[in-house]
Amino acid sequence: MRNPSEKKSILDFFSFLGLSLYEATHLKGNRHVSLMVLMRQILFTGYEALPLISFIALGIGGLVILQGYSLLSTFGQGNLVHMILVTVVINEMSSLITALVVVARSGTAISTELGNMVVHREIDLLRSFGLSPISYLVVSRIYGVMAAMLILTAYFNIVAVLGGWMFSQLFSNIEFRAFMNGFLLELKLSSIIVNLVKPLVFGLIIALVSSYEGMSVRQSSTEVPQRTIRAVVNSIVLIIFSDLVITWLTWVLAFR
Amino acid sequence: MKIIFDRVCSSGGLQDLSLELPVERVCVINDSTELQGKRILNTIIGLDEIISGSLTIDGIPWLEFISHQPMPRVFGYVFDEAVMLSNLSLRENLLLPYRMLNDDKADDNFETEVQDWMRQFGLSLDLASRPNVIRPPELKLLGFIRPLLFSPRLLLIDNPYYLLNEPQRCTVLEVLNRLKSSLPLLILSSDSDFNRGFAAQIIKI
């Protein structure tokens, strides 16, 4: 039971961050981390989001190709449309849009679930067993959301490229093989590395921020929606900020 | 077992509390507001952190006392409300503390022991059910069984009659009467059943 007059500060977040990362990196012999919670998180965040991700990826891939082709063809550069697909979709939009979908679906769910667990004293129950709520609830979610983000982003890329090819059939009869050849020529190692790093970083941010906000609920159920809103806003801000940092670092390291 | 609070301030709101709890067989904390009593139980079980002062059990500092064995083997805690993890079945809820014990053999006797305790508490439940389909009084009785499965050194009970009807209260009193010779009990209650004749010590707050 926390003292109601106690206020949360930025230091509390960093303390939570430090403890979560410490426990997430010291898994050996830690019986508190739940494989069941981890698998449920991957199922909910990853598998159950596939239809929505498919729809968005197909649409985004198609829209980028349509807009890109109409713009580039005015300069007679319609053949560079693959470059736009790689630059816009693969490097930037896939991980960003996937992260926003995961924030909307899973970030809110994590924050609400943990907040309700605090209100219903389920966190106290775990602590009364000597179980660490951070290990049992947060660490499993960190790994679950990170794994799901990685899978979903890869899936988004595949569907967006296929969507791009399908929509390209509307204005030019490009063969699938030729389209893919052009696409793969534009795809660089840096794009692949960025596509591995960004989903992991975004997944970590979503899981940490949502868990922190959920666990910060004190005793009232009216705090749960407020904390959930904060989880969404703070996750989005941190995702955009970290995206800028990663992209800037990629430029600095001359990957492109 | 002797629990001594020496000028304890806790994150839950204990202010400079000095108190001696001699838990020989049954010790009842009689607190009409229940607030201070809850804070005392929460501090003993570790839900509230000790900010200053010291808490000793049989002369051993609290942290050292709980460090030798898994928590469920040291303290059992019966919540006043029927607290269960809502995303787990009743069986998974009861099994969860085994995760702490690093003792897989404990699972072998689990079903027999649970059935035995359920019979004693007059319960007949499908353990595969989720807590949300079970009535709160029955969950509360399961809340008694959960810590008892681990034979703790001390059982802390917060408001044992809360949520229970008259026959269920009688059942609980009978079970606790049988238990008190073998297991020290620290009970927070202002009910007359626990304050007249049942307790070896009554601490009025």
Side-chain angles (χ1 to χ4, degrees), chain B residues 90-128:
Chain B
L90 298 178
R91 179 176 281 103
E92 287 168 332
N93 261 288
L94 295 175
L95 270 170
L96 188 64
Y98 277 111
R99 197 181 299 279
M100 284 295 303
L101 299 177
N102 200 13
D103 178 10
D104 295 333
K105 282 181 185 169
D107 290 336
D108 299 342
N109 301 325
F110 173 77
E111 289 294 335
T112 328
E113 282 184 35
V114 170
Q115 292 305 326
D116 183 45
W117 282 114
M118 281 175 60
R119 188 183 47 73
Q120 291 191 50
F121 279 96
L123 280 174
S124 169
L125 294 170
D126 175 12
L127 292 178

mmCIF file of all heavy atoms in Angstrom, chain B residues 90-128:
data_model
loop_
_atom_site.group_PDB
_atom_site.id
_atom_site.type_symbol
_atom_site.label_atom_id
_atom_site.label_comp_id
_atom_site.label_asym_id
_atom_site.label_seq_id
_atom_site.Cartn_x
_atom_site.Cartn_y
_atom_site.Cartn_z
ATOM 1 N N LEU B 90 -8.356 -21.182 -11.012
ATOM 2 C CA LEU B 90 -8.201 -21.351 -9.561
ATOM 3 C C LEU B 90 -6.996 -22.239 -9.250
ATOM 4 O O LEU B 90 -6.214 -21.963 -8.343
ATOM 5 C CB LEU B 90 -9.463 -21.959 -8.960
ATOM 6 C CG LEU B 90 -10.750 -21.144 -9.101
ATOM 7 C CD1 LEU B 90 -11.919 -21.910 -8.498
ATOM 8 C CD2 LEU B 90 -10.623 -19.783 -8.435
ATOM 9 N N ARG B 91 -6.844 -23.324 -10.033
ATOM 10 C CA ARG B 91 -5.732 -24.245 -9.798
ATOM 11 C C ARG B 91 -4.396 -23.531 -10.014
ATOM 12 O O ARG B 91 -3.481 -23.653 -9.207
ATOM 13 C CB ARG B 91 -5.834 -25.466 -10.723
ATOM 14 C CG ARG B 91 -4.683 -26.452 -10.538
ATOM 15 C CD ARG B 91 -4.814 -27.702 -11.375
ATOM 16 N NE ARG B 91 -5.747 -28.653 -10.783
ATOM 17 C CZ ARG B 91 -6.984 -28.874 -11.192
ATOM 18 N NH1 ARG B 91 -7.466 -28.210 -12.230
ATOM 19 N NH2 ARG B 91 -7.768 -29.749 -10.605
ATOM 20 N N GLU B 92 -4.318 -22.754 -11.124
ATOM 21 C CA GLU B 92 -3.069 -22.019 -11.407
ATOM 22 C C GLU B 92 -2.794 -21.000 -10.308
ATOM 23 O O GLU B 92 -1.646 -20.759 -9.942
ATOM 24 C CB GLU B 92 -3.175 -21.310 -12.761
ATOM 25 C CG GLU B 92 -3.098 -22.258 -13.939
ATOM 26 C CD GLU B 92 -3.492 -21.604 -15.252
ATOM 27 O OE1 GLU B 92 -4.301 -20.647 -15.241
ATOM 28 O OE2 GLU B 92 -3.008 -22.063 -16.293
ATOM 29 N N ASN B 93 -3.863 -20.392 -9.791
ATOM 30 C CA ASN B 93 -3.699 -19.442 -8.689
ATOM 31 C C ASN B 93 -3.102 -20.111 -7.464
ATOM 32 O O ASN B 93 -2.195 -19.581 -6.829
ATOM 33 C CB ASN B 93 -5.057 -18.842 -8.320
ATOM 34 C CG ASN B 93 -5.275 -17.473 -8.934
ATOM 35 O OD1 ASN B 93 -4.657 -16.505 -8.506
ATOM 36 N ND2 ASN B 93 -6.125 -17.402 -9.938
ATOM 37 N N LEU B 94 -3.625 -21.304 -7.139
ATOM 38 C CA LEU B 94 -3.130 -22.007 -5.954
ATOM 39 C C LEU B 94 -1.704 -22.533 -6.174
ATOM 40 O O LEU B 94 -0.912 -22.624 -5.241
ATOM 41 C CB LEU B 94 -4.060 -23.170 -5.602
ATOM 42 C CG LEU B 94 -5.486 -22.792 -5.170
ATOM 43 C CD1 LEU B 94 -6.330 -24.032 -4.972
ATOM 44 C CD2 LEU B 94 -5.471 -21.965 -3.897
ATOM 45 N N LEU B 95 -1.394 -22.863 -7.431
ATOM 46 C CA LEU B 95 -0.076 -23.427 -7.744
ATOM 47 C C LEU B 95 1.018 -22.371 -7.870
ATOM 48 O O LEU B 95 2.210 -22.693 -7.777
ATOM 49 C CB LEU B 95 -0.143 -24.196 -9.068
ATOM 50 C CG LEU B 95 -0.496 -25.674 -8.999
ATOM 51 C CD1 LEU B 95 -0.768 -26.217 -10.394
ATOM 52 C CD2 LEU B 95 0.643 -26.479 -8.367
ATOM 53 N N LEU B 96 0.597 -21.110 -8.084
ATOM 54 C CA LEU B 96 1.579 -20.072 -8.396
ATOM 55 C C LEU B 96 2.740 -19.974 -7.398
ATOM 56 O O LEU B 96 3.901 -19.884 -7.807
ATOM 57 C CB LEU B 96 0.870 -18.715 -8.533
ATOM 58 C CG LEU B 96 1.725 -17.564 -9.034
ATOM 59 C CD1 LEU B 96 2.210 -17.819 -10.458
ATOM 60 C CD2 LEU B 96 0.954 -16.257 -8.981
ATOM 61 N N PRO B 97 2.484 -20.014 -6.094
ATOM 62 C CA PRO B 97 3.625 -19.897 -5.164
ATOM 63 C C PRO B 97 4.634 -21.031 -5.281
ATOM 64 O O PRO B 97 5.783 -20.874 -4.861
ATOM 65 C CB PRO B 97 2.959 -19.916 -3.786
ATOM 66 C CG PRO B 97 1.560 -19.488 -4.021
ATOM 67 C CD PRO B 97 1.212 -20.034 -5.368
ATOM 68 N N TYR B 98 4.249 -22.184 -5.853
ATOM 69 C CA TYR B 98 5.223 -23.276 -6.032
ATOM 70 C C TYR B 98 6.416 -22.821 -6.864
ATOM 71 O O TYR B 98 7.523 -23.339 -6.741
ATOM 72 C CB TYR B 98 4.574 -24.483 -6.723
ATOM 73 C CG TYR B 98 3.829 -25.390 -5.773
ATOM 74 C CD1 TYR B 98 2.460 -25.480 -5.808
ATOM 75 C CD2 TYR B 98 4.523 -26.165 -4.847
ATOM 76 C CE1 TYR B 98 1.766 -26.301 -4.938
ATOM 77 C CE2 TYR B 98 3.851 -26.991 -3.970
ATOM 78 C CZ TYR B 98 2.465 -27.056 -4.021
ATOM 79 O OH TYR B 98 1.803 -27.868 -3.163
ATOM 80 N N ARG B 99 6.137 -21.828 -7.758
ATOM 81 C CA ARG B 99 7.186 -21.270 -8.595
ATOM 82 C C ARG B 99 8.352 -20.779 -7.725
ATOM 83 O O ARG B 99 9.505 -20.824 -8.094
ATOM 84 C CB ARG B 99 6.602 -20.095 -9.382
ATOM 85 C CG ARG B 99 7.397 -19.656 -10.578
ATOM 86 C CD ARG B 99 6.705 -18.478 -11.215
ATOM 87 N NE ARG B 99 5.371 -18.829 -11.676
ATOM 88 C CZ ARG B 99 5.132 -19.443 -12.814
ATOM 89 N NH1 ARG B 99 6.106 -19.767 -13.597
ATOM 90 N NH2 ARG B 99 3.902 -19.727 -13.179
ATOM 91 N N MET B 100 7.990 -20.277 -6.535
ATOM 92 C CA MET B 100 8.981 -19.728 -5.615
ATOM 93 C C MET B 100 9.809 -20.806 -4.934
ATOM 94 O O MET B 100 10.918 -20.576 -4.504
ATOM 95 C CB MET B 100 8.265 -18.970 -4.493
ATOM 96 C CG MET B 100 7.741 -17.628 -4.867
ATOM 97 S SD MET B 100 9.075 -16.554 -5.260
ATOM 98 C CE MET B 100 10.015 -16.647 -3.739
ATOM 99 N N LEU B 101 9.198 -21.992 -4.777
ATOM 100 C CA LEU B 101 9.768 -22.950 -3.840
ATOM 101 C C LEU B 101 10.897 -23.787 -4.416
ATOM 102 O O LEU B 101 11.610 -24.449 -3.677
ATOM 103 C CB LEU B 101 8.672 -23.875 -3.305
ATOM 104 C CG LEU B 101 7.554 -23.145 -2.552
ATOM 105 C CD1 LEU B 101 6.476 -24.096 -2.117
ATOM 106 C CD2 LEU B 101 8.120 -22.430 -1.339
ATOM 107 N N ASN B 102 11.021 -23.754 -5.750
ATOM 108 C CA ASN B 102 12.088 -24.518 -6.381
ATOM 109 C C ASN B 102 12.010 -25.984 -5.947
ATOM 110 O O ASN B 102 13.013 -26.619 -5.660
ATOM 111 C CB ASN B 102 13.452 -23.914 -5.989
ATOM 112 C CG ASN B 102 14.536 -24.316 -6.943
ATOM 113 O OD1 ASN B 102 14.243 -24.845 -8.017
ATOM 114 N ND2 ASN B 102 15.778 -24.066 -6.572
ATOM 115 N N ASP B 103 10.790 -26.461 -5.822
ATOM 116 C CA ASP B 103 10.577 -27.781 -5.253
ATOM 117 C C ASP B 103 9.471 -28.471 -6.060
ATOM 118 O O ASP B 103 8.309 -28.421 -5.711
ATOM 119 C CB ASP B 103 10.161 -27.620 -3.782
ATOM 120 C CG ASP B 103 9.879 -28.952 -3.119
ATOM 121 O OD1 ASP B 103 10.184 -29.985 -3.738
ATOM 122 O OD2 ASP B 103 9.338 -28.946 -2.014
ATOM 123 N N ASP B 104 9.851 -29.076 -7.180
ATOM 124 C CA ASP B 104 8.845 -29.643 -8.072
ATOM 125 C C ASP B 104 8.089 -30.810 -7.456
ATOM 126 O O ASP B 104 6.988 -31.145 -7.857
ATOM 127 C CB ASP B 104 9.498 -30.092 -9.389
ATOM 128 C CG ASP B 104 10.044 -28.886 -10.139
ATOM 129 O OD1 ASP B 104 9.482 -27.796 -9.934
ATOM 130 O OD2 ASP B 104 11.019 -29.044 -10.889
ATOM 131 N N LYS B 105 8.699 -31.437 -6.431
ATOM 132 C CA LYS B 105 8.022 -32.573 -5.801
ATOM 133 C C LYS B 105 6.754 -32.135 -5.078
ATOM 134 O O LYS B 105 5.864 -32.931 -4.813
ATOM 135 C CB LYS B 105 8.971 -33.250 -4.812
ATOM 136 C CG LYS B 105 9.984 -34.131 -5.506
ATOM 137 C CD LYS B 105 10.871 -34.803 -4.504
ATOM 138 C CE LYS B 105 11.953 -35.588 -5.235
ATOM 139 N NZ LYS B 105 12.987 -36.036 -4.340
ATOM 140 N N ALA B 106 6.707 -30.833 -4.754
ATOM 141 C CA ALA B 106 5.537 -30.316 -4.064
ATOM 142 C C ALA B 106 4.276 -30.538 -4.888
ATOM 143 O O ALA B 106 3.185 -30.719 -4.348
ATOM 144 C CB ALA B 106 5.709 -28.829 -3.783
ATOM 145 N N ASP B 107 4.424 -30.544 -6.221
ATOM 146 C CA ASP B 107 3.265 -30.718 -7.083
ATOM 147 C C ASP B 107 2.582 -32.070 -6.900
ATOM 148 O O ASP B 107 1.388 -32.206 -7.124
ATOM 149 C CB ASP B 107 3.674 -30.565 -8.553
ATOM 150 C CG ASP B 107 4.021 -29.119 -8.860
ATOM 151 O OD1 ASP B 107 3.520 -28.253 -8.126
ATOM 152 O OD2 ASP B 107 4.781 -28.892 -9.805
ATOM 153 N N ASP B 108 3.351 -33.088 -6.500
ATOM 154 C CA ASP B 108 2.790 -34.438 -6.370
ATOM 155 C C ASP B 108 1.640 -34.497 -5.365
ATOM 156 O O ASP B 108 0.638 -35.150 -5.588
ATOM 157 C CB ASP B 108 3.886 -35.429 -5.952
ATOM 158 C CG ASP B 108 4.990 -35.487 -6.999
ATOM 159 O OD1 ASP B 108 4.714 -35.053 -8.141
ATOM 160 O OD2 ASP B 108 6.091 -35.932 -6.673
ATOM 161 N N ASN B 109 1.843 -33.804 -4.247
ATOM 162 C CA ASN B 109 0.818 -33.865 -3.200
ATOM 163 C C ASN B 109 -0.242 -32.774 -3.337
ATOM 164 O O ASN B 109 -1.178 -32.732 -2.551
ATOM 165 C CB ASN B 109 1.474 -33.715 -1.819
ATOM 166 C CG ASN B 109 2.496 -34.793 -1.591
ATOM 167 O OD1 ASN B 109 2.313 -35.921 -2.042
ATOM 168 N ND2 ASN B 109 3.580 -34.442 -0.927
ATOM 169 N N PHE B 110 -0.057 -31.921 -4.317
ATOM 170 C CA PHE B 110 -0.896 -30.735 -4.416
ATOM 171 C C PHE B 110 -2.392 -31.073 -4.451
ATOM 172 O O PHE B 110 -3.174 -30.566 -3.647
ATOM 173 C CB PHE B 110 -0.484 -29.935 -5.670
ATOM 174 C CG PHE B 110 -1.383 -28.773 -5.963
ATOM 175 C CD1 PHE B 110 -1.281 -27.608 -5.221
ATOM 176 C CD2 PHE B 110 -2.340 -28.840 -6.961
ATOM 177 C CE1 PHE B 110 -2.111 -26.533 -5.472
ATOM 178 C CE2 PHE B 110 -3.174 -27.779 -7.221
ATOM 179 C CZ PHE B 110 -3.054 -26.631 -6.474
ATOM 180 N N GLU B 111 -2.787 -31.949 -5.382
ATOM 181 C CA GLU B 111 -4.218 -32.230 -5.562
ATOM 182 C C GLU B 111 -4.837 -32.797 -4.278
ATOM 183 O O GLU B 111 -5.916 -32.375 -3.865
ATOM 184 C CB GLU B 111 -4.421 -33.229 -6.717
ATOM 185 C CG GLU B 111 -4.148 -32.652 -8.088
ATOM 186 C CD GLU B 111 -5.129 -31.568 -8.520
ATOM 187 O OE1 GLU B 111 -6.281 -31.563 -8.019
ATOM 188 O OE2 GLU B 111 -4.740 -30.719 -9.338
ATOM 189 N N THR B 112 -4.127 -33.753 -3.649
ATOM 190 C CA THR B 112 -4.655 -34.370 -2.431
ATOM 191 C C THR B 112 -4.836 -33.323 -1.335
ATOM 192 O O THR B 112 -5.875 -33.286 -0.662
ATOM 193 C CB THR B 112 -3.664 -35.447 -1.914
ATOM 194 O OG1 THR B 112 -3.004 -36.026 -3.038
ATOM 195 C CG2 THR B 112 -4.353 -36.502 -1.112
ATOM 196 N N GLU B 113 -3.803 -32.499 -1.176
ATOM 197 C CA GLU B 113 -3.864 -31.490 -0.107
ATOM 198 C C GLU B 113 -4.974 -30.481 -0.353
ATOM 199 O O GLU B 113 -5.715 -30.108 0.561
ATOM 200 C CB GLU B 113 -2.516 -30.763 0.000
ATOM 201 C CG GLU B 113 -1.472 -31.571 0.718
ATOM 202 C CD GLU B 113 -0.181 -30.800 0.890
ATOM 203 O OE1 GLU B 113 -0.247 -29.578 1.093
ATOM 204 O OE2 GLU B 113 0.884 -31.425 0.786
ATOM 205 N N VAL B 114 -5.103 -30.038 -1.599
ATOM 206 C CA VAL B 114 -6.153 -29.055 -1.917
ATOM 207 C C VAL B 114 -7.527 -29.649 -1.624
ATOM 208 O O VAL B 114 -8.377 -29.000 -0.996
ATOM 209 C CB VAL B 114 -6.067 -28.615 -3.400
ATOM 210 C CG1 VAL B 114 -7.292 -27.800 -3.791
ATOM 211 C CG2 VAL B 114 -4.820 -27.785 -3.637
ATOM 212 N N GLN B 115 -7.743 -30.886 -2.073
ATOM 213 C CA GLN B 115 -9.046 -31.516 -1.853
ATOM 214 C C GLN B 115 -9.335 -31.658 -0.357
ATOM 215 O O GLN B 115 -10.467 -31.443 0.084
ATOM 216 C CB GLN B 115 -9.106 -32.903 -2.540
ATOM 217 C CG GLN B 115 -9.094 -32.849 -4.069
ATOM 218 C CD GLN B 115 -10.193 -31.972 -4.655
ATOM 219 O OE1 GLN B 115 -11.295 -31.889 -4.114
ATOM 220 N NE2 GLN B 115 -9.885 -31.297 -5.755
ATOM 221 N N ASP B 116 -8.300 -31.984 0.400
ATOM 222 C CA ASP B 116 -8.473 -32.140 1.841
ATOM 223 C C ASP B 116 -8.882 -30.813 2.496
ATOM 224 O O ASP B 116 -9.819 -30.746 3.285
ATOM 225 C CB ASP B 116 -7.164 -32.672 2.449
ATOM 226 C CG ASP B 116 -7.320 -32.908 3.936
ATOM 227 O OD1 ASP B 116 -8.351 -33.494 4.315
ATOM 228 O OD2 ASP B 116 -6.447 -32.475 4.708
ATOM 229 N N TRP B 117 -8.169 -29.732 2.117
ATOM 230 C CA TRP B 117 -8.506 -28.420 2.686
ATOM 231 C C TRP B 117 -9.891 -27.954 2.222
ATOM 232 O O TRP B 117 -10.647 -27.365 2.998
ATOM 233 C CB TRP B 117 -7.452 -27.376 2.298
ATOM 234 C CG TRP B 117 -6.191 -27.452 3.104
ATOM 235 C CD1 TRP B 117 -4.953 -27.785 2.663
ATOM 236 C CD2 TRP B 117 -6.058 -27.202 4.503
ATOM 237 N NE1 TRP B 117 -4.047 -27.769 3.699
ATOM 238 C CE2 TRP B 117 -4.697 -27.407 4.840
ATOM 239 C CE3 TRP B 117 -6.945 -26.839 5.510
ATOM 240 C CZ2 TRP B 117 -4.204 -27.247 6.134
ATOM 241 C CZ3 TRP B 117 -6.458 -26.677 6.797
ATOM 242 C CH2 TRP B 117 -5.111 -26.879 7.096
ATOM 243 N N MET B 118 -10.211 -28.237 0.963
ATOM 244 C CA MET B 118 -11.527 -27.819 0.453
ATOM 245 C C MET B 118 -12.636 -28.516 1.223
ATOM 246 O O MET B 118 -13.678 -27.928 1.526
ATOM 247 C CB MET B 118 -11.635 -28.103 -1.053
ATOM 248 C CG MET B 118 -10.927 -27.043 -1.889
ATOM 249 S SD MET B 118 -10.880 -27.366 -3.650
ATOM 250 C CE MET B 118 -12.563 -27.457 -4.092
ATOM 251 N N ARG B 119 -12.409 -29.791 1.555
ATOM 252 C CA ARG B 119 -13.403 -30.529 2.350
ATOM 253 C C ARG B 119 -13.548 -29.885 3.723
ATOM 254 O O ARG B 119 -14.671 -29.682 4.204
ATOM 255 C CB ARG B 119 -12.944 -31.997 2.466
ATOM 256 C CG ARG B 119 -13.950 -32.941 3.085
ATOM 257 C CD ARG B 119 -13.393 -34.344 3.219
ATOM 258 N NE ARG B 119 -12.048 -34.410 3.779
ATOM 259 C CZ ARG B 119 -11.739 -34.198 5.063
ATOM 260 N NH1 ARG B 119 -12.698 -33.906 5.929
ATOM 261 N NH2 ARG B 119 -10.493 -34.276 5.484
ATOM 262 N N GLN B 120 -12.419 -29.516 4.317
ATOM 263 C CA GLN B 120 -12.484 -28.906 5.648
ATOM 264 C C GLN B 120 -13.218 -27.567 5.634
ATOM 265 O O GLN B 120 -13.911 -27.214 6.581
ATOM 266 C CB GLN B 120 -11.068 -28.696 6.200
ATOM 267 C CG GLN B 120 -10.357 -29.993 6.532
ATOM 268 C CD GLN B 120 -9.085 -29.729 7.324
ATOM 269 O OE1 GLN B 120 -9.108 -29.019 8.311
ATOM 270 N NE2 GLN B 120 -7.981 -30.318 6.899
ATOM 271 N N PHE B 121 -13.058 -26.810 4.541
ATOM 272 C CA PHE B 121 -13.732 -25.508 4.448
ATOM 273 C C PHE B 121 -15.117 -25.617 3.795
ATOM 274 O O PHE B 121 -15.756 -24.600 3.540
ATOM 275 C CB PHE B 121 -12.868 -24.516 3.650
ATOM 276 C CG PHE B 121 -11.778 -23.877 4.466
ATOM 277 C CD1 PHE B 121 -10.497 -24.376 4.459
ATOM 278 C CD2 PHE B 121 -12.053 -22.771 5.256
ATOM 279 C CE1 PHE B 121 -9.487 -23.791 5.207
ATOM 280 C CE2 PHE B 121 -11.059 -22.179 6.014
ATOM 281 C CZ PHE B 121 -9.772 -22.689 6.000
ATOM 282 N N GLY B 122 -15.546 -26.829 3.519
ATOM 283 C CA GLY B 122 -16.887 -27.044 2.949
ATOM 284 C C GLY B 122 -17.018 -26.518 1.532
ATOM 285 O O GLY B 122 -18.081 -26.030 1.143
ATOM 286 N N LEU B 123 -15.937 -26.625 0.770
ATOM 287 C CA LEU B 123 -15.957 -26.103 -0.601
ATOM 288 C C LEU B 123 -16.049 -27.220 -1.621
ATOM 289 O O LEU B 123 -15.445 -28.278 -1.459
ATOM 290 C CB LEU B 123 -14.672 -25.314 -0.896
ATOM 291 C CG LEU B 123 -14.581 -23.884 -0.395
ATOM 292 C CD1 LEU B 123 -13.187 -23.332 -0.669
ATOM 293 C CD2 LEU B 123 -15.614 -23.002 -1.065
ATOM 294 N N SER B 124 -16.797 -26.952 -2.679
ATOM 295 C CA SER B 124 -16.841 -27.890 -3.786
ATOM 296 C C SER B 124 -16.766 -27.059 -5.066
ATOM 297 O O SER B 124 -17.771 -26.490 -5.517
ATOM 298 C CB SER B 124 -18.146 -28.690 -3.724
ATOM 299 O OG SER B 124 -18.317 -29.396 -4.895
ATOM 300 N N LEU B 125 -15.562 -26.945 -5.593
ATOM 301 C CA LEU B 125 -15.355 -26.053 -6.742
ATOM 302 C C LEU B 125 -14.607 -26.766 -7.849
ATOM 303 O O LEU B 125 -13.790 -27.646 -7.582
ATOM 304 C CB LEU B 125 -14.520 -24.836 -6.317
ATOM 305 C CG LEU B 125 -15.123 -23.844 -5.332
ATOM 306 C CD1 LEU B 125 -14.044 -22.871 -4.856
ATOM 307 C CD2 LEU B 125 -16.255 -23.074 -5.977
ATOM 308 N N ASP B 126 -14.885 -26.357 -9.093
ATOM 309 C CA ASP B 126 -14.097 -26.833 -10.216
ATOM 310 C C ASP B 126 -12.859 -25.943 -10.309
ATOM 311 O O ASP B 126 -12.967 -24.750 -10.633
ATOM 312 C CB ASP B 126 -14.933 -26.739 -11.502
ATOM 313 C CG ASP B 126 -14.115 -27.114 -12.731
ATOM 314 O OD1 ASP B 126 -12.998 -27.648 -12.564
ATOM 315 O OD2 ASP B 126 -14.598 -26.868 -13.854
ATOM 316 N N LEU B 127 -11.700 -26.509 -10.035
ATOM 317 C CA LEU B 127 -10.480 -25.690 -9.965
ATOM 318 C C LEU B 127 -10.007 -25.200 -11.331
ATOM 319 O O LEU B 127 -9.112 -24.356 -11.416
ATOM 320 C CB LEU B 127 -9.355 -26.464 -9.278
ATOM 321 C CG LEU B 127 -9.561 -26.752 -7.793
ATOM 322 C CD1 LEU B 127 -8.400 -27.558 -7.233
ATOM 323 C CD2 LEU B 127 -9.740 -25.471 -6.995
ATOM 324 N N ALA B 128 -10.642 -25.707 -12.392
ATOM 325 C CA ALA B 128 -10.277 -25.217 -13.725
ATOM 326 C C ALA B 128 -10.992 -23.893 -14.036
ATOM 327 O O ALA B 128 -10.691 -23.242 -15.039
ATOM 328 C CB ALA B 128 -10.630 -26.253 -14.775
#
